[in-house]
């Protein structure tokens, strides 16, 4: 039976239409929840691309590998829920390309220790590593990147609170990140933003400034979309794992909701 399942998965890789999504950002993009509560995907419908082995593997938490400075979920993420919902809505096979690192900043001024930054400057720039991984996935599958799923902003929000960074600088750098991805992966690649939530026992001002900057970027740039806004309400729902990280119920909801939004926008 096992060989038959493996054969069916291999067959589906070759016959079913594929959509590649780069999942990038910081710790809530990595996933800091519980794989035991993660959503299972049907065999042959969802895969994860692994750069070190240049392979597609069944998508299941913990999603991600420690490669190219990126991390694996600890232990549950949003991406199986996204893949399952997206496949249900479109009939297309999903390939997730994980490229997230906990604590990473958008702007180099917000970079903390060795956590990395999505800026071109800084101690540990990450965008080139994400592009390397995305291009390898494209080569492996023969399909373009269909969209970038972005969950980031907490580090920059704290930097704004600490007066190390302005909201305008964050907004400008976020737009620069979009442009850099598009220069490498396609000029019209959609960029889907999961809005940053709040951090318990920290001023909300910096986090609200990041959320506003994300909305501004979506308004100013074509094919940049806010696809999830409800993160600030997670505390009231009991959907937080700790002061800053989302639990698995939250991540499952994010994944399914984002899939619905992406599928809708692809029809337009």
């Amino acid at each position: 039976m096992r060989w038959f399942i493996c054969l069916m998965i291999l067959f589906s890789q070759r016959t079913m239409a594929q959509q590649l999504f780069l999942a990038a950002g910081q710790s809530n993009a990595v996933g800091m929840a519980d794989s035991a509560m993660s959503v299972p995907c049907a065999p042959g419908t969802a895969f994860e691309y692994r750069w070190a082995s240049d392979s597609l593997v069944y998508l299941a938490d913990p999603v991600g590998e420690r490669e190219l400075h990126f991390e694996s979920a600890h232990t549950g993420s949003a991406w199986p829920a996204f893949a399952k919902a997206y496949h249900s809505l479109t009939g297309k096979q999903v390939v997730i390309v994980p490229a997230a690192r906990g604590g990473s900043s958008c702007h180099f001024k917000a970079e903390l220790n060795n956590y990395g930054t999505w800026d071109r400057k800084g101690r540990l720039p990450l965008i080139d590593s994400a592009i390397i991984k995305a291009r390898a996935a494209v080569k492996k599958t023969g399909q373009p990147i269909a969209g970038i799923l972005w969950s980031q902003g907490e580090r920059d929000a704290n930097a704004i609170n600490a007066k190390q960074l302005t909201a305008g600088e964050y907004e400008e750098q976020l737009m620069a990140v979009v442009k850099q991805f598009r220069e490498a992966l396609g000029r019209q690649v959609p960029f889907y933003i999961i809005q940053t939530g709040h951090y318990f026992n920290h001023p909300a001002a910096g986090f609200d400034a990041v959320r506003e900057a994300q909305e501004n970027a979506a308004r100013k740039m074509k094919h940049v979309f806010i696809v999830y806004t409800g993160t600030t309400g997670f505390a009231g729902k009991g959907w937080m794992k700790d002061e800053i990280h989302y639990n698995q119920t939250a991540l499952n909801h994010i994944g399914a909701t984002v899939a619905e939004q992406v599928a809708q926008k692809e029809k337009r």
Side-chain angles (χ1 to χ4, degrees):
M1 181 61 72
R2 181 175 295 178
W3 68 266
F4 179 74
I5 292 173
C6 292
L7 184 63
M8 290 298 294
I9 290 174
L10 179 62
F11 180 75
S12 69
Q13 288 180 7
R14 295 177 178 175
T15 60
M16 190 181 297
Q18 290 181 327
Q19 291 284 80
L20 275 64
F21 292 95
L22 181 70
Q26 58 180 113
S27 56
N28 281 315
V30 174
M32 304 291 288
D34 183 1
S35 60
M37 298 177 63
S38 184
V39 173
C41 298
T45 64
F47 293 86
E48 171 190 337
Y49 175 74
R50 292 185 177 175
W51 176 81
S53 59
D54 189 31
S55 62
L56 297 177
V57 301
Y58 172 69
L59 181 71
D61 275 318
V63 171
E65 289 277 287
R66 288 189 173 273
E67 56 186 15
L68 294 170
H69 306 300
F70 301 125
E71 297 176 326
S72 174
H74 310 275
T75 58
S77 72
W79 310 127
F82 170 85
K84 182 173 183 178
Y86 184 85
H87 173 74
S88 176
L89 291 164
T90 67
K92 296 178 181 178
Q93 184 186 85
V94 175
V95 178
I96 295 292
V97 185
R101 182 177 175 88
S104 56
S105 70
C106 186
H107 198 288
F108 81 95
K109 288 185 179 180
E111 187 179 15
L112 183 65
N113 300 325
N114 66 340
Y115 291 109
T117 181
W118 292 93
D119 205 330
R120 290 286 187 188
K121 304 175 184 178
R123 293 182 290 276
L124 182 62
L126 298 172
I127 194 162
D128 285 340
S129 292
I131 290 168
I132 287 169
K133 190 169 186 179
R135 282 176 167 169
V138 168
K139 183 177 180 181
K140 177 71 175 178
T141 62
Q143 300 296 325
I145 297 294
I148 297 166
L149 310 175
W150 181 257
S151 180
Q152 195 283 331
E154 294 91 345
R155 173 82 286 274
D156 298 78
N158 273 337
I160 291 170
N161 280 334
K163 310 301 183 184
Q164 298 169 337
L165 181 70
T166 68
E169 288 174 322
Y170 172 81
E171 180 180 324
E172 182 179 354
Q173 178 54 29
L174 176 60
M175 294 172 69
V177 167
V178 176
K179 292 175 183 176
Q180 288 158 10
F181 273 129
R182 287 178 171 172
E183 287 171 1
L185 302 177
R187 295 179 62 184
Q188 300 298 319
V189 173
F191 194 87
Y192 300 110
I193 299 173
I194 299 162
Q195 272 194 300
T196 303
H198 285 154
Y199 193 165
F200 288 2
N201 303 317
H202 287 69
F207 296 85
D208 291 338
V210 163
R211 288 172 63 88
E212 183 177 359
Q214 292 168 340
E215 291 168 359
N216 290 342
R219 187 177 65 254
K220 293 176 181 178
M221 301 183 77
K222 291 183 178 180
H223 309 300
V224 174
F225 306 103
I226 304 293
V227 289
Y228 197 94
T229 62
T231 49
T232 54
F234 284 178
K237 294 180 177 180
W239 285 9
M240 298 295 292
K241 176 185 176 181
D242 53 36
E243 291 185 337
I244 189 62
H245 298 115
Y246 312 145
N247 69 17
Q248 195 63 48
T249 301
L251 291 175
N252 290 345
H253 190 264
I254 287 173
T257 303
V258 171
E260 292 171 3
Q261 289 290 310
V262 171
Q264 288 176 8
K265 295 183 188 308
E266 288 177 341
K267 292 178 182 179
R268 296 176 183 175

